[in-house]
Amino acid sequence: EGYLSRFVKKYTGCSFNEIVFDIRMQNAATHLKFSNYTVTEISDMVGYSDLSYFRKLFKKKYQMSPNVYRKMYREDNRL
């Protein structure tokens, strides 16, 4: 486990946890853009059972809540 973590960090510049976090948030953003799943459902699908924690992490990554992100993206596509 330690070797793998060092290997990933050496060749990507990011920790394994950072990579997993980014993948989860990218998947959540994609679901928000292209699906009608609720934020709660999306949170569960990407691996966060605590909705408030998911919202906090999403906001940290995208500087807005999942609901605002969804609304902004969908309004942009109507133009």
Side-chain angles (χ1 to χ4, degrees), residues 1-57:
E1 183 180 318
Y3 170 77
L4 181 59
S5 292
R6 287 188 299 278
F7 181 84
V8 168
K9 179 78 170 181
K10 180 179 178 181
Y11 288 99
T12 66
C14 298
S15 72
F16 181 76
N17 288 339
E18 290 170 327
I19 293 169
V20 171
F21 170 76
D22 284 342
I23 291 169
R24 285 177 167 180
M25 291 298 116
Q26 289 170 9
N27 285 338
T30 299
H31 283 300
L32 289 165
K33 290 177 185 177
F34 301 113
S35 79
N36 290 320
Y37 291 118
T38 66
V39 174
T40 302
E41 291 170 326
I42 293 170
S43 173
D44 285 335
M45 288 190 298
V46 299
Y48 295 102
S49 58
D50 183 341
L51 180 59
S52 60
Y53 184 60
F54 168 73
R55 285 183 170 143
K56 177 182 175 182
L57 293 177

Side-chain angles (χ1 to χ4, degrees), residues 58-71:
F58 191 92
K59 192 169 185 175
K60 179 181 177 183
K61 172 84 174 166
Y62 293 102
Q63 291 77 47
M64 65 186 79
S65 73
N67 288 326
V68 171
Y69 183 90
R70 171 176 269 170
K71 186 177 182 201

